[in-house]
Amino acid sequence: MDVTLHLAQDPEADALLGRSPLAALVGMLLDQQVPMEWAFKGPRTIADRLGADDLDAHDIAAQDPEAFSALLSQKPAVHRYPGSMAKRIQQLCQYLVEHYDGDAELVWKGVDDGRELLRRLEELPGFGRQKAQIFLALLGKQLGVRPKGWQEAAGSYGEPKSFRSVADITGPESLAKVRAHKQEMKAAAKAAKAARK
């Protein structure tokens, strides 16, 4: 895995995401309740604070939970909820150590069926169906991981040029389109909720 991603909109953070399967997974895990760029910059920030060039699942899994939480809480915090996210990242890394010998890429490497890959992603701590489908779409659209049926397994996120999620962001222009789509979805949800009252 060595591609250029544009999710953090920061060259160093994006370079790490493009070469590190674990960084990409951690970025996806952090991508909730904060701006996308903030979430995907998190893996680089964590690596820097650990004094490392990359994230290591064995190292993170073995960290003292309070110390790791404090690391994520340093200003600027890695997430709006650094304590709970520190716990989730450690749970993800512990799972990867137990099931994939700490190698995040083994979650998808050699998998030849999209539904199987989706199942594997959904089993990761902190990955519900939607997050798993978005990450599957990111793998297929930008990282060249395309097992048979991956687009169908990714649902609407797998559609070409759909601009629904991080899977479709390749630069500032596509970022703006994804943001616009998310705002439309929020407005539609708000209108539907108001209509039910």
Side-chain angles (χ1 to χ4, degrees), residues 34-150:
V34 294
M36 180 206 71
E37 300 93 323
W38 185 6
F40 284 96
K41 197 172 180 178
R44 175 80 263 165
T45 304
I46 295 167
D48 288 346
R49 290 179 185 173
L50 289 170
D53 291 334
D54 194 355
L55 300 181
D56 181 289
H58 291 278
D59 179 45
I60 292 172
Q63 291 277 327
D64 173 74
E66 285 184 25
F68 191 64
S69 178
L71 185 97
L72 268 68
S73 300
Q74 289 173 22
K75 302 284 185 221
V78 169
H79 194 274
R80 180 179 291 155
Y81 304 107
S84 63
M85 282 300 163
K87 186 176 179 181
R88 284 191 180 178
I89 291 169
Q90 282 197 291
Q91 288 170 340
L92 172 64
C93 289
Q94 287 159 355
Y95 183 89
L96 291 171
V97 167
E98 288 171 25
H99 297 270
Y100 297 101
D101 196 30
D103 186 348
E105 191 174 19
L106 294 180
V107 174
W108 55 84
K109 194 172 184 180
V111 177
D112 57 7
D113 180 74
R115 287 176 307 208
E116 169 62 16
L117 180 48
L118 180 63
R119 185 190 66 75
R120 286 180 173 212
L121 290 167
E122 285 182 294
E123 287 177 349
L124 298 174
F127 278 67
R129 184 164 191 89
Q130 183 182 33
K131 194 175 283 286
Q133 285 185 312
I134 291 170
F135 194 78
L136 175 54
L138 177 66
L139 286 170
K141 289 179 175 183
Q142 296 198 47
L143 300 173
V145 177
R146 299 182 181 112
K148 186 176 179 223
W150 72 270

Side-chain angles (χ1 to χ4, degrees), residues 9-31:
Q9 303 290 302
D10 171 282
E12 284 188 18
D14 282 328
L16 178 62
L17 295 169
R19 67 179 158 79
S20 169
L22 179 56
L25 277 177
V26 169
M28 191 73 226
L29 182 66
L30 290 169
D31 188 23

